[in-house]
Amino acid sequence: MLYISLINYNTNFNKKIIYCNFLKIKINIFILKIKKKNFKHFINIKQTIFFYFLLKIWNKIKFKNNLIFFTFIKNEIKSNLDGIFKLFLITIKKKNNILNLNKIFLKLKNLIWTNIGCFDIKDFLIIKFNKINLIIESIDKIPYITKYFIPNNIRISNSNRVRLGSFISEGVTVMSEGYINFNTYIGKNCMIEGRVSAGVYISDNTDIGGSCSIMGTLSGGGNNIISIGNNCLLGANSGVGISLGNNCIIESGLYITSGTKINLILKKNKIIIKAKILSFINNLIFYRNSINGKIECCKNYFNSIKINKDLHKN
């Protein structure tokens, strides 16, 4: 699948593109015969004018620093711009957990993100800034989401803790200590006060408690995408490395990984199993027995989680 965008870009002192705005995006336009062997990111001015008419945005033309950019979502990332574009596609919900993000950290460029723009680190060191209102917001390969996109009907207490490449549904609240990494999905009306790592999928009406951690697919994480179901509650300082079904609760301070031994309570009997066997099962409560210290799991008979609707309301 091919995605095409009209971009307006800025360059560094070496005339290399370091930042751009995506003005218009179209899907599956194979007007040109593009051979993979001769694949290039940019096309010439005649083809650019043709695409201007094709995309019906002639009134938006600014010939200075404008290009047509395209990418195949199944191909590995080729450049810094290609990586940013794919992360942007996730953020606007074109694709999620489908795009090929292989080699993303090898291809993305470490940049200085400020309140007045984006700069190459080498350029920044030799520029003489006279503006007293210059603020360095981050030095990173992936900018935070509000540099490129403002999600609708959400609250983000600290915007630099939500990275580009995360999709956030309406009604979500991200508190100041909440963190959302790239290649993530957050469903409607969730409360995020903990860490949502890369590759994690969270369904609707779920509460991720303060300092809670969800294991991702980077830095020692597995290849399996962690999914959290609807109406779940992860208590403060808890953690999870398995997928949860709907209406599940993890007690505060309890961290569960796939190999954690769980005492599963079935009526009056207990059996010991690994936590990964309970992945995706609905209506479960995980807790630590305060007398013997063993981790136990039983059925959540209420089949729902009560949350503070006033806090979740935007």
Side-chain angles (χ1 to χ4, degrees), residues 50-145:
F50 171 76
F51 272 104
Y52 278 135
F53 282 111
L54 182 66
L55 299 177
K56 297 180 181 179
I57 50 173
W58 181 258
N59 60 326
K60 293 184 179 180
I61 289 181
K62 295 179 181 178
F63 285 100
K64 184 178 180 181
N65 291 354
N66 275 264
L67 287 172
I68 294 293
F69 178 80
F70 50 89
T71 186
F72 292 93
I73 66 172
K74 293 184 179 180
N75 288 2
E76 287 187 348
I77 291 173
K78 305 296 183 181
S79 65
N80 181 75
L81 184 56
D82 191 30
I84 293 295
F85 186 39
K86 286 184 175 179
L87 292 176
F88 182 75
L89 290 176
I90 295 174
T91 291
I92 62 175
K93 205 184 177 182
K94 293 295 183 182
K95 293 291 174 183
N96 186 269
N97 285 322
I98 296 177
L99 288 95
N100 187 342
L101 298 179
N102 291 342
K103 298 183 178 180
I104 185 169
F105 287 108
L106 294 177
K107 297 300 182 179
L108 289 181
K109 187 174 180 60
N110 207 26
L111 299 171
I112 294 180
W113 302 88
T114 77
N115 60 319
I116 62 171
C118 172
F119 300 92
D120 186 283
I121 294 178
K122 293 181 179 179
D123 292 349
F124 189 85
L125 295 176
I126 62 177
I127 294 175
K128 294 182 180 179
F129 286 100
N130 296 318
K131 296 184 178 181
I132 61 174
N133 62 340
L134 176 68
I135 299 174
I136 296 178
E137 297 170 334
S138 66
I139 304 175
D140 201 357
K141 294 185 175 184
I142 301 177
Y144 45 88
I145 190 172

Side-chain angles (χ1 to χ4, degrees), residues 12 17 23 49 100 112 134-135 140 159 173 183 197 294:
N12 61 10
I17 297 175
L23 305 179
I49 294 175
N100 187 342
I112 294 180
L134 176 68
I135 299 174
D140 201 357
S159 62
T173 296
N183 199 27
S197 302
K294 295 180 179 181

Side-chain angles (χ1 to χ4, degrees), residues 44-269:
N44 62 38
I45 188 63
K46 290 183 180 180
Q47 293 167 330
T48 301
I49 294 175
F50 171 76
F51 272 104
Y52 278 135
F53 282 111
L54 182 66
L55 299 177
K56 297 180 181 179
I57 50 173
W58 181 258
N59 60 326
K60 293 184 179 180
I61 289 181
K62 295 179 181 178
F63 285 100
K64 184 178 180 181
N65 291 354
N66 275 264
L67 287 172
I68 294 293
F69 178 80
F70 50 89
T71 186
F72 292 93
I73 66 172
K74 293 184 179 180
N75 288 2
E76 287 187 348
I77 291 173
K78 305 296 183 181
S79 65
N80 181 75
L81 184 56
D82 191 30
I84 293 295
F85 186 39
K86 286 184 175 179
L87 292 176
F88 182 75
L89 290 176
I90 295 174
T91 291
I92 62 175
K93 205 184 177 182
K94 293 295 183 182
K95 293 291 174 183
N96 186 269
N97 285 322
I98 296 177
L99 288 95
N100 187 342
L101 298 179
N102 291 342
K103 298 183 178 180
I104 185 169
F105 287 108
L106 294 177
K107 297 300 182 179
L108 289 181
K109 187 174 180 60
N110 207 26
L111 299 171
I112 294 180
W113 302 88
T114 77
N115 60 319
I116 62 171
C118 172
F119 300 92
D120 186 283
I121 294 178
K122 293 181 179 179
D123 292 349
F124 189 85
L125 295 176
I126 62 177
I127 294 175
K128 294 182 180 179
F129 286 100
N130 296 318
K131 296 184 178 181
I132 61 174
N133 62 340
L134 176 68
I135 299 174
I136 296 178
E137 297 170 334
S138 66
I139 304 175
D140 201 357
K141 294 185 175 184
I142 301 177
Y144 45 88
I145 190 172
T146 52
K147 285 293 183 183
Y148 283 88
F149 182 73
I150 305 298
N152 185 39
N153 190 28
I154 69 166
R155 286 194 290 145
I156 302 178
S157 180
N158 190 351
S159 62
N160 63 2
R161 294 182 64 84
V162 181
R163 298 177 102 183
L164 183 69
S166 56
F167 176 79
I168 305 176
S169 303
E170 292 188 4
V172 170
T173 296
V174 184
M175 299 302 291
S176 58
E177 292 303 314
Y179 177 82
I180 304 176
N181 211 338
F182 72 96
N183 199 27
T184 52
Y185 177 95
I186 310 297
K188 294 180 179 179
N189 304 317
C190 290
M191 173 70 76
I192 309 297
E193 297 181 84
R195 177 184 176 85
V196 181
S197 302
V200 172
Y201 185 103
I202 297 178
S203 299
D204 300 343
N205 304 309
T206 284
D207 196 323
I208 309 300
S211 299
C212 169
S213 178
I214 304 174
M215 187 178 295
T217 54
L218 300 176
S219 298
N223 295 322
N224 294 326
I225 296 171
I226 300 297
S227 173
I228 308 297
N230 296 315
N231 306 307
C232 289
L233 174 61
L234 276 61
N237 297 305
S238 67
V240 60
I242 65 171
S243 292
L244 300 179
N246 299 327
N247 308 312
C248 290
I249 300 174
I250 295 182
E251 180 188 57
S252 296
L254 178 62
Y255 204 119
I256 297 174
T257 61
S258 61
T260 301
K261 298 295 180 63
I262 304 289
N263 287 268
L264 179 63
I265 301 174
L266 297 174
K267 295 183 178 179
K268 295 183 179 181
N269 300 319

